[in-house]
Amino acid sequence: MWPWTDWKLRRALRRYRRERDLEAVLQMDWHRDLDLSAFFTDVEERLHGEEITRLRQKQAEYLALQNQINPHFLYNALEAIRTDALLANCPDIAETTEALATFFRYTISNVQEYVTFSDELDNAENYFTIQRCRFGDKISLELELENERLLEVRMPKLILQPLVENAVSHGLEGKLGHGTVRIIVENSDRTFFLRVRDDGIGMPDEQVERLNAQFGGVGGADMTQPCGGIALRNVNSRIRLMFGEDYGLHLFSAAGVGTECCVTLPLRFREA
Protein backbone atom coordinates (compact mmCIF):
# COMPACT_ATOMS: atom_id res chain seq x y z
CA MET A 1 0.00 0.00 0.00
CA TRP A 2 1.38 3.41 -0.96
CA PRO A 3 2.14 6.02 1.70
CA TRP A 4 -0.29 8.95 1.79
CA THR A 5 2.33 11.32 0.33
CA ASP A 6 3.08 9.15 -2.71
CA TRP A 7 -0.62 8.56 -3.40
CA LYS A 8 -1.41 12.29 -3.11
CA LEU A 9 1.43 13.30 -5.40
CA ARG A 10 0.51 10.72 -8.03
CA ARG A 11 -3.10 11.88 -7.92
CA ALA A 12 -2.00 15.51 -8.29
CA LEU A 13 0.24 14.60 -11.23
CA ARG A 14 -2.58 12.73 -13.00
CA ARG A 15 -4.92 15.67 -12.45
CA TYR A 16 -2.42 18.14 -13.82
CA ARG A 17 -1.75 15.97 -16.92
CA ARG A 18 -5.49 15.68 -17.51
CA GLU A 19 -6.61 19.27 -16.84
CA ARG A 20 -3.43 21.33 -17.12
CA ASP A 21 -4.72 23.35 -14.16
CA LEU A 22 -1.79 24.09 -11.89
CA GLU A 23 -3.89 26.34 -9.66
CA ALA A 24 -6.17 23.38 -8.83
CA VAL A 25 -3.16 21.26 -7.83
CA LEU A 26 -1.86 24.05 -5.59
CA GLN A 27 -5.24 24.34 -3.88
CA MET A 28 -5.37 20.62 -2.98
CA ASP A 29 -5.24 19.71 0.70
CA TRP A 30 -1.57 19.15 1.59
CA HIS A 31 -1.88 19.81 5.33
CA ARG A 32 -0.93 16.26 6.34
CA ASP A 33 2.62 16.76 5.09
CA LEU A 34 4.18 19.99 6.36
CA ASP A 35 7.08 19.89 3.91
CA LEU A 36 4.76 19.48 0.90
CA SER A 37 2.41 22.13 2.24
CA ALA A 38 5.29 24.61 2.62
CA PHE A 39 6.62 23.69 -0.84
CA PHE A 40 3.32 24.25 -2.68
CA THR A 41 2.66 27.45 -0.73
CA ASP A 42 6.04 28.76 -1.86
CA VAL A 43 5.30 27.76 -5.48
CA GLU A 44 1.95 29.57 -5.33
CA GLU A 45 3.53 32.74 -3.91
CA ARG A 46 6.23 32.71 -6.57
CA LEU A 47 3.72 32.22 -9.37
CA HIS A 48 1.55 35.05 -8.06
CA GLY A 49 4.65 37.26 -7.75
CA GLU A 50 5.59 36.55 -11.35
CA GLU A 51 2.04 37.31 -12.46
CA ILE A 52 2.13 40.64 -10.65
CA THR A 53 5.47 41.39 -12.29
CA ARG A 54 4.02 40.56 -15.71
CA LEU A 55 1.03 42.82 -15.08
CA ARG A 56 3.30 45.66 -13.99
CA GLN A 57 5.45 45.15 -17.07
CA LYS A 58 2.38 45.30 -19.30
CA GLN A 59 1.29 48.49 -17.55
CA ALA A 60 4.75 50.00 -18.05
CA GLU A 61 4.66 49.04 -21.73
CA TYR A 62 1.23 50.66 -22.04
CA LEU A 63 2.44 53.86 -20.40
CA ALA A 64 5.54 53.86 -22.60
CA LEU A 65 3.29 53.51 -25.65
CA GLN A 66 1.24 56.46 -24.42
CA ASN A 67 4.40 58.50 -24.00
CA GLN A 68 5.41 57.66 -27.56
CA ILE A 69 2.04 58.72 -28.96
CA ASN A 70 1.03 61.77 -26.94
CA PRO A 71 4.15 63.96 -27.47
CA HIS A 72 3.73 63.91 -31.26
CA PHE A 73 1.02 66.54 -30.96
CA LEU A 74 3.32 68.68 -28.80
CA TYR A 75 6.27 68.31 -31.18
CA ASN A 76 4.16 69.15 -34.21
CA ALA A 77 2.66 72.18 -32.48
CA LEU A 78 6.07 73.47 -31.41
CA GLU A 79 7.45 72.96 -34.92
CA ALA A 80 4.53 74.95 -36.33
CA ILE A 81 5.22 77.77 -33.84
CA ARG A 82 8.93 77.72 -34.75
CA THR A 83 8.11 77.94 -38.46
CA ASP A 84 5.75 80.86 -37.88
CA ALA A 85 8.42 82.62 -35.79
CA LEU A 86 10.99 82.23 -38.56
CA LEU A 87 8.51 83.54 -41.16
CA ALA A 88 7.82 86.50 -38.87
CA ASN A 89 11.56 87.13 -38.51
CA CYS A 90 11.61 86.29 -34.77
CA PRO A 91 14.74 84.11 -34.46
CA ASP A 92 14.80 84.22 -30.64
CA ILE A 93 11.30 82.74 -30.41
CA ALA A 94 12.22 80.12 -33.01
CA GLU A 95 15.35 79.16 -31.06
CA THR A 96 13.47 78.85 -27.76
CA THR A 97 10.71 76.80 -29.35
CA GLU A 98 13.21 74.43 -30.95
CA ALA A 99 15.03 74.05 -27.60
CA LEU A 100 11.73 73.28 -25.86
CA ALA A 101 10.78 70.62 -28.43
CA THR A 102 14.21 68.99 -28.20
CA PHE A 103 14.13 69.14 -24.40
CA PHE A 104 10.77 67.37 -24.21
CA ARG A 105 11.82 64.80 -26.80
CA TYR A 106 14.87 63.93 -24.68
CA THR A 107 13.11 63.81 -21.32
CA ILE A 108 9.88 62.11 -22.43
CA SER A 109 10.61 59.94 -25.45
CA ASN A 110 14.18 58.83 -24.87
CA VAL A 111 13.89 55.72 -22.68
CA GLN A 112 17.58 54.75 -22.72
CA GLU A 113 18.91 54.02 -19.29
CA TYR A 114 22.40 55.26 -20.11
CA VAL A 115 23.51 58.19 -22.26
CA THR A 116 26.77 60.04 -22.80
CA PHE A 117 27.74 63.14 -20.88
CA SER A 118 27.57 64.93 -24.24
CA ASP A 119 23.86 64.03 -24.44
CA GLU A 120 23.30 65.31 -20.91
CA LEU A 121 25.16 68.52 -21.72
CA ASP A 122 23.02 69.14 -24.81
CA ASN A 123 19.87 68.67 -22.72
CA ALA A 124 21.11 71.06 -20.04
CA GLU A 125 21.93 73.66 -22.70
CA ASN A 126 18.44 73.33 -24.16
CA TYR A 127 17.01 73.87 -20.68
CA PHE A 128 19.17 76.97 -20.29
CA THR A 129 18.03 78.32 -23.66
CA ILE A 130 14.43 78.03 -22.44
CA GLN A 131 15.28 79.78 -19.16
CA ARG A 132 17.00 82.65 -20.97
CA CYS A 133 13.62 83.42 -22.53
CA ARG A 134 12.56 84.30 -18.99
CA PHE A 135 15.75 85.73 -17.49
CA GLY A 136 17.41 87.18 -20.59
CA ASP A 137 21.08 88.08 -20.11
CA LYS A 138 20.77 87.86 -16.33
CA ILE A 139 22.04 84.26 -16.35
CA SER A 140 24.80 82.48 -18.23
CA LEU A 141 26.11 78.92 -18.51
CA GLU A 142 29.80 77.97 -18.64
CA LEU A 143 31.65 74.67 -19.06
CA GLU A 144 35.07 73.64 -17.75
CA LEU A 145 36.09 70.36 -19.37
CA GLU A 146 39.35 68.78 -18.26
CA ASN A 147 39.48 66.34 -21.18
CA GLU A 148 37.25 66.21 -24.27
CA ARG A 149 37.18 62.42 -24.00
CA LEU A 150 34.96 62.88 -20.94
CA LEU A 151 32.17 63.89 -23.31
CA GLU A 152 31.84 60.16 -24.07
CA VAL A 153 31.48 59.05 -20.44
CA ARG A 154 28.41 56.85 -19.98
CA MET A 155 25.98 57.90 -17.28
CA PRO A 156 22.31 57.57 -16.29
CA LYS A 157 19.96 59.90 -18.12
CA LEU A 158 18.68 63.11 -16.50
CA ILE A 159 21.47 63.63 -13.98
CA LEU A 160 22.83 67.01 -15.10
CA GLN A 161 19.70 69.01 -15.98
CA PRO A 162 18.08 68.73 -12.51
CA LEU A 163 21.31 70.08 -10.99
CA VAL A 164 21.38 73.02 -13.41
CA GLU A 165 17.69 73.68 -12.76
CA ASN A 166 18.31 73.62 -9.01
CA ALA A 167 21.15 76.14 -9.43
CA VAL A 168 18.93 78.50 -11.42
CA SER A 169 15.81 78.15 -9.27
CA HIS A 170 17.39 78.18 -5.81
CA GLY A 171 20.66 79.97 -6.49
CA LEU A 172 20.28 82.60 -9.18
CA GLU A 173 16.58 83.45 -9.27
CA GLY A 174 16.73 85.38 -5.99
CA LYS A 175 20.03 87.08 -6.77
CA LEU A 176 20.30 90.71 -7.76
CA GLY A 177 22.34 91.19 -10.91
CA HIS A 178 23.98 88.67 -13.19
CA GLY A 179 24.47 85.05 -12.19
CA THR A 180 26.49 82.18 -13.66
CA VAL A 181 26.10 78.41 -13.58
CA ARG A 182 29.41 76.66 -14.19
CA ILE A 183 29.62 72.97 -15.10
CA ILE A 184 33.00 71.48 -14.14
CA VAL A 185 33.98 68.00 -15.34
CA GLU A 186 36.98 66.02 -14.05
CA ASN A 187 38.02 62.43 -13.48
CA SER A 188 40.33 60.14 -11.57
CA ASP A 189 41.32 56.61 -12.57
CA ARG A 190 37.91 55.15 -11.74
CA THR A 191 35.65 58.09 -10.87
CA PHE A 192 33.82 60.72 -12.91
CA PHE A 193 33.37 64.04 -11.09
CA LEU A 194 30.60 66.35 -12.23
CA ARG A 195 30.29 69.68 -10.41
CA VAL A 196 27.55 72.25 -10.91
CA ARG A 197 28.47 75.56 -9.28
CA ASP A 198 26.51 78.79 -9.06
CA ASP A 199 27.36 82.21 -7.66
CA GLY A 200 23.89 82.71 -6.26
CA ILE A 201 22.43 83.35 -2.84
CA GLY A 202 23.77 80.17 -1.22
CA MET A 203 22.25 78.21 1.65
CA PRO A 204 22.50 78.24 5.45
CA ASP A 205 24.91 75.74 6.99
CA GLU A 206 22.07 73.88 8.72
CA GLN A 207 20.27 73.25 5.43
CA VAL A 208 23.46 72.02 3.75
CA GLU A 209 24.14 69.65 6.64
CA ARG A 210 20.62 68.22 6.53
CA LEU A 211 20.77 67.66 2.77
CA ASN A 212 24.21 66.03 2.91
CA ALA A 213 23.02 63.77 5.75
CA GLN A 214 20.08 62.69 3.58
CA PHE A 215 22.34 62.18 0.55
CA GLY A 216 24.61 59.95 2.63
CA GLY A 217 21.77 57.99 4.21
CA VAL A 218 23.05 58.91 7.66
CA GLY A 219 21.01 57.31 10.43
CA GLY A 220 18.69 59.80 12.04
CA ALA A 221 18.48 62.10 9.01
CA ASP A 222 14.87 63.27 8.74
CA MET A 223 13.77 62.52 5.17
CA THR A 224 10.38 64.14 5.75
CA GLN A 225 11.63 67.51 7.00
CA PRO A 226 11.26 70.07 4.18
CA CYS A 227 14.64 71.57 3.40
CA GLY A 228 14.52 71.92 -0.39
CA GLY A 229 16.49 69.90 -2.90
CA ILE A 230 13.80 67.35 -3.80
CA ALA A 231 15.21 66.96 -7.33
CA LEU A 232 18.71 66.56 -5.90
CA ARG A 233 17.56 63.85 -3.48
CA ASN A 234 15.91 62.00 -6.34
CA VAL A 235 19.08 62.13 -8.44
CA ASN A 236 21.17 61.00 -5.47
CA SER A 237 18.82 58.08 -4.74
CA ARG A 238 18.98 56.88 -8.36
CA ILE A 239 22.78 56.99 -8.38
CA ARG A 240 23.15 55.13 -5.08
CA LEU A 241 20.64 52.47 -6.14
CA MET A 242 22.45 51.91 -9.43
CA PHE A 243 26.08 52.10 -8.33
CA GLY A 244 26.21 51.77 -4.56
CA GLU A 245 26.86 53.96 -1.56
CA ASP A 246 30.32 55.08 -2.74
CA TYR A 247 28.65 57.34 -5.32
CA GLY A 248 26.14 60.15 -5.20
CA LEU A 249 25.85 63.85 -4.40
CA HIS A 250 27.49 66.20 -1.94
CA LEU A 251 26.78 69.90 -1.42
CA PHE A 252 29.07 72.81 -0.57
CA SER A 253 27.50 76.21 0.01
CA ALA A 254 27.98 79.57 1.70
CA ALA A 255 25.24 82.12 2.16
CA GLY A 256 25.71 85.05 -0.18
CA VAL A 257 28.53 83.30 -2.07
CA GLY A 258 26.96 80.38 -3.93
CA THR A 259 26.50 76.63 -4.01
CA GLU A 260 28.35 73.71 -5.57
CA CYS A 261 26.81 70.28 -6.07
CA CYS A 262 29.38 67.55 -6.65
CA VAL A 263 28.31 64.29 -8.31
CA THR A 264 30.51 61.20 -8.26
CA LEU A 265 29.90 58.39 -10.74
CA PRO A 266 31.92 55.38 -11.88
CA LEU A 267 34.10 56.27 -14.89
CA ARG A 268 32.68 54.30 -17.81
CA PHE A 269 33.00 54.90 -21.53
CA ARG A 270 30.98 53.79 -24.51
CA GLU A 271 31.84 50.22 -25.43
CA ALA A 272 33.66 49.87 -28.75
Side-chain angles (χ1 to χ4, degrees):
M1 190 171 183
W2 289 340
W4 178 89
T5 300
D6 289 349
W7 173 81
K8 192 80 170 180
L9 282 173
R10 288 175 179 273
R11 181 185 174 193
L13 181 59
R14 286 197 303 271
R15 181 171 183 177
Y16 177 72
R17 285 175 175 172
R18 182 176 64 252
E19 301 175 6
R20 293 294 177 181
D21 187 352
L22 182 58
E23 189 70 23
V25 173
L26 294 175
Q27 295 300 321
M28 291 175 65
D29 184 9
W30 301 102
H31 75 278
R32 291 178 59 181
D33 189 298
L34 295 180
D35 288 337
L36 278 177
S37 178
F39 170 74
F40 282 113
T41 298
D42 184 62
V43 169
E44 185 175 13
E45 289 176 352
R46 288 176 181 270
L47 287 174
H48 288 169
E50 291 176 0
E51 180 63 22
I52 291 172
T53 300
R54 281 196 294 270
L55 289 174
R56 287 176 177 172
Q57 184 176 358
K58 287 185 179 296
Q59 183 183 27
E61 291 172 353
Y62 172 72
L63 292 175
L65 181 60
Q66 277 191 321
N67 284 338
Q68 289 175 356
I69 295 172
N70 294 340
H72 287 309
F73 172 78
L74 174 64
Y75 302 150
N76 292 337
L78 290 173
E79 179 59 26
I81 294 171
R82 189 182 77 88
T83 301
D84 287 346
L86 290 173
L87 292 174
N89 196 26
C90 300
D92 290 345
I93 296 177
E95 181 185 18
T96 302
T97 305
E98 183 178 16
L100 183 59
T102 305
F103 177 80
F104 274 114
R105 185 174 288 110
Y106 183 85
T107 56
I108 297 176
S109 298
N110 188 343
V111 296
Q112 288 179 315
E113 186 176 13
Y114 287 89
V115 295
T116 65
F117 172 66
S118 178
D119 296 327
E120 284 288 278
L121 185 60
D122 287 343
N123 189 53
E125 289 176 340
N126 282 323
Y127 166 80
F128 220 78
T129 297
I130 298 166
Q131 287 292 60
R132 271 196 292 265
C133 183
R134 175 187 175 192
F135 292 102
D137 293 333
K138 181 184 175 182
I139 61 174
S140 59
L141 181 67
E142 298 179 357
L143 173 66
E144 293 182 17
L145 187 64
E146 185 179 69
N147 183 342
E148 287 193 4
R149 187 166 179 260
L150 295 179
L151 290 171
E152 297 304 315
V153 166
R154 302 286 289 175
M155 60 191 300
K157 193 181 72 170
L158 296 176
I159 295 295
L160 177 58
Q161 183 271 328
L163 274 59
V164 173
E165 180 174 355
N166 188 78
V168 172
S169 299
H170 298 287
L172 302 185
E173 186 170 344
K175 177 183 178 178
L176 296 176
H178 184 270
T180 301
V181 176
R182 181 171 287 106
I183 300 171
I184 305 162
V185 186
E186 302 168 324
N187 72 288
S188 64
D189 289 343
R190 297 184 179 180
T191 307
F192 178 67
F193 299 99
L194 173 60
R195 308 177 193 273
V196 176
R197 180 186 301 165
D198 67 73
D199 55 3
I201 61 175
M203 290 186 291
D205 292 343
E206 296 81 5
Q207 185 177 1
V208 176
E209 290 175 2
R210 286 199 302 270
L211 283 168
N212 281 331
Q214 292 176 5
F215 293 158
V218 175
D222 188 354
M223 298 297 290
T224 64
Q225 184 173 359
C227 60
I230 294 175
L232 300 187
R233 292 200 295 273
N234 288 340
V235 169
N236 180 72
S237 296
R238 288 174 56 210
I239 292 173
R240 286 167 65 89
L241 283 171
M242 296 176 75
F243 303 116
E245 297 180 357
D246 292 336
Y247 302 97
L249 273 61
H250 193 85
L251 282 179
F252 304 90
S253 187
V257 177
T259 301
E260 177 178 293
C261 182
C262 180
V263 184
T264 53
L265 292 165
L267 185 66
R268 298 177 179 176
F269 289 93
R270 185 192 302 271
E271 295 180 359

